[in-house]
Amino acid sequence: MKLTPLQKRAYHKQRNTQQLDLNLTALVDVFTILIFFLLSNSTEVEVLPASKAVTLPESNAEKSPKPTVVVLVSGTDIVVEGRRIAMVSDVMASPEDLIAPLQAELQLLSTRQVVSQDKQGEARAITIMGDKDIPYQLLRKVMVTCARANFSDVSFALRQKADA
């Protein structure tokens, strides 16, 4: 059967107007499951603020960190929650064990923290991120100052050792 040019044009026009119906319900379901999976798995990892000035020691510890006040002690500075508090050279030159600016900052932070009535007398938690090459005397001064500011629950930030 031979088609006339008018019939050919009508056939092509009819063929081009037919559209496929896309069922987006399955695609939306897949994306919903993907978003739920990503959100549920993103809360498992606790990341402490990192600094290139601090090289953490390595450990085999499996316990994950809890959210606390972070004191970063590098070779040059002492930083609390991102604010530079004191210089290491000034702290090491001082004969006292107490670091006054650090104590003042920790006391200020402790007044901002919400503490329930039954836990008011308990010590507060703090995480010290100390460079692995800082002297013990400096670390001792930081720990004494934290204890005097009622931050006695001290944790040290470490790098997870790679399994060999």
Side-chain angles (χ1 to χ4, degrees):
M1 174 170 169
K2 189 101 174 150
L3 295 176
T4 66
L6 188 60
Q7 290 172 333
K8 284 182 185 178
R9 220 177 297 143
Y11 173 74
H12 287 296
K13 186 176 181 184
Q14 181 185 9
R15 186 181 66 186
N16 290 338
T17 58
Q18 292 178 351
Q19 294 180 357
L20 296 175
D21 288 334
L22 292 177
N23 187 359
L24 294 179
T25 306
L27 189 60
V28 170
D29 289 344
V30 168
F31 279 120
T32 303
I33 291 170
L34 182 65
I35 289 172
F36 178 78
F37 174 76
L38 291 174
L39 288 175
S40 65
N41 286 336
S42 68
T43 59
E44 290 181 16
V45 177
E46 185 72 30
V47 179
L48 291 173
S51 172
K52 292 181 181 177
V54 176
T55 305
L56 296 175
E58 292 184 347
S59 171
N60 291 331
E62 295 292 328
K63 190 175 179 183
S64 61
K66 53 189 173 185
T68 61
V69 175
V70 177
V71 176
L72 186 127
V73 183
S74 69
T76 57
D77 297 320
I78 297 175
V79 178
V80 177
E81 297 292 321
R83 288 185 45 205
R84 189 172 128 211
I85 302 302
M87 294 187 65
V88 170
S89 57
D90 296 340
V91 171
M92 292 302 287
S94 172
E96 296 180 16
D97 280 343
L98 188 70
I99 305 169
L102 178 60
Q103 184 182 24
E105 182 69 20
L106 291 177
Q107 287 175 341
L108 177 67
L109 287 173
S110 69
T111 59
R112 292 182 185 168
Q113 288 182 344
V114 177
V115 179
S116 62
Q117 293 294 334
D118 56 335
K119 294 185 177 184
Q120 226 166 15
E122 292 182 16
R124 291 179 180 90
I126 193 163
T127 301
I128 298 175
M129 290 181 67
D131 191 88
K132 67 178 184 177
D133 296 326
I134 61 171
Y136 174 74
Q137 183 181 8
L138 175 61
L139 186 60
R140 183 178 178 279
K141 287 183 178 191
V142 170
M143 289 172 48
V144 166
T145 305
C146 291
R148 296 248 176 100
N150 199 23
F151 283 88
S152 301
D153 185 8
V154 177
S155 300
F156 293 98
L158 302 167
R159 227 174 7 131
Q160 184 74 31
K161 257 188 190 175
D163 293 334

